Amino acid sequence: MTFKGFFIVTTLAIVTGATFASAAAPPKTAAFFHVVAAANVCGDSTVINHPFANGNPNAVIQVTYNAGSTNSNAVFVGRGPLAVYYDDAGSCALGRWIIYAIENTDHAQFVIGQRFNVFVAAP
């Protein structure tokens, strides 16, 4: 009998009495539009409201401008880099994530109807 090619032989050790940690559950994720409204404005920032993010300081949040608007007469264009922070001190909305513009030197509020693309991953 002739064999061509090569073979990989592995051995398996069986350990009795050992326990193995289970793998972590995959994160919950969501992608949605955040719309600036009078109810979610806090100074020159806007407050995100989503069940995966609310009360979760370990959530991973990504935000980008969306050129669309809920106001059919306006199209908003991004005005610089955005950032998010978790409000754990209650300065705006305790236990919520806040969107603000980093280089918003004139401290203008976001405009009502302005939209943002938001991605949330909750471990």
Side-chain angles (χ1 to χ4, degrees):
M1 180 183 289
T2 304
F3 293 102
K4 294 186 179 184
F6 62 93
F7 298 92
I8 298 174
V9 178
T10 61
T11 58
L12 175 65
I14 299 175
V15 179
T16 59
T19 60
F20 297 96
S22 61
K28 299 175 189 174
T29 61
F32 58 95
F33 295 122
H34 171 76
V35 180
V36 178
N40 64 24
V41 169
C42 179
D44 58 357
S45 303
T46 181
V47 181
I48 297 172
N49 182 13
H50 191 277
F52 291 174
N54 297 349
N56 186 357
N58 297 318
V60 176
I61 312 288
Q62 294 178 331
V63 178
T64 61
Y65 288 101
N66 182 300
S69 167
T70 57
N71 180 345
S72 61
N73 297 324
V75 175
F76 302 105
V77 179
R79 295 181 52 189
L82 294 170
V84 294
Y85 71 92
Y86 184 77
D87 187 357
D88 59 356
S91 59
C92 266
L94 184 62
R96 299 287 177 92
W97 284 89
I98 313 293
I99 302 171
Y100 68 97
I102 294 173
E103 294 178 358
N104 192 357
T105 56
D106 60 359
H107 298 286
Q109 291 182 340
F110 293 124
V111 180
I112 302 298
Q114 188 172 6
R115 294 192 314 183
F116 296 91
N117 304 314
V118 180
F119 175 80
V120 177

